[in-house]
Amino acid sequence: MGVEEQTAESTRNEVDGVAVEGATAAAETELKVETTASGTRYPVAPGYRVNVRTGPGTSYRIVRTMPLGQKIPIYCQKPGETVTGPYGTSNLWDNIANGQFVADAYVYTGRDGYIAPRCD
């Protein structure tokens, strides 16, 4: 898959096109699914700044990169490119807004497989 890169001056890595911050960031973020009146939000893996793309694969254009500690809604899910992340290997991609997808392998949902309806 991706190439991991680290320098002596930094604890920032690049894995499968996702920026990975040092282990201290991982310890600071609590993995907790949050349910509010506006819906359920799922945490991105601690220490990762995940790329948001226009479709379900790394060949799709990057729309933005999410900040550390971000929690996201998942409106629907779609199969696409298989990606390996901190939560395993999966071909599921989560739709977080109109035309915006993140790899499910980087989102803590509490279980494997679909947790939302399939996207059309």
Side-chain angles (χ1 to χ4, degrees):
M1 281 278 212
V3 175
E4 188 171 9
E5 178 182 298
Q6 185 171 3
T7 66
E9 300 154 290
S10 171
T11 59
R12 182 180 166 111
N13 300 321
E14 185 88 9
V15 179
D16 293 328
V18 177
V20 181
E21 300 296 331
T24 54
E28 295 172 9
T29 304
E30 187 178 343
L31 291 180
K32 195 165 148 186
V33 175
E34 186 178 284
T35 303
T36 65
S38 61
T40 303
R41 298 178 75 75
Y42 301 88
V44 172
Y48 291 85
R49 298 186 67 216
V50 178
N51 290 326
V52 178
R53 298 181 176 273
T54 59
T58 59
S59 62
Y60 287 88
R61 184 175 57 83
I62 296 172
V63 176
R64 61 189 166 104
T65 301
M66 299 197 331
L68 292 172
Q70 185 75 30
K71 290 191 178 180
I72 58 171
I74 298 176
Y75 298 112
C76 62
Q77 292 174 295
K78 185 173 195 165
E81 179 183 349
T82 299
V83 172
T84 299
Y87 301 118
T89 300
S90 176
N91 72 335
L92 287 181
W93 286 72
D94 304 329
N95 176 259
I96 63 168
N98 189 24
Q100 296 184 20
F101 291 85
V102 296
D104 190 66
Y106 287 91
V107 180
Y108 179 77
T109 61
R111 61 181 149 156
D112 291 336
Y114 287 91
I115 54 97
R118 289 183 184 221
C119 302
D120 291 335

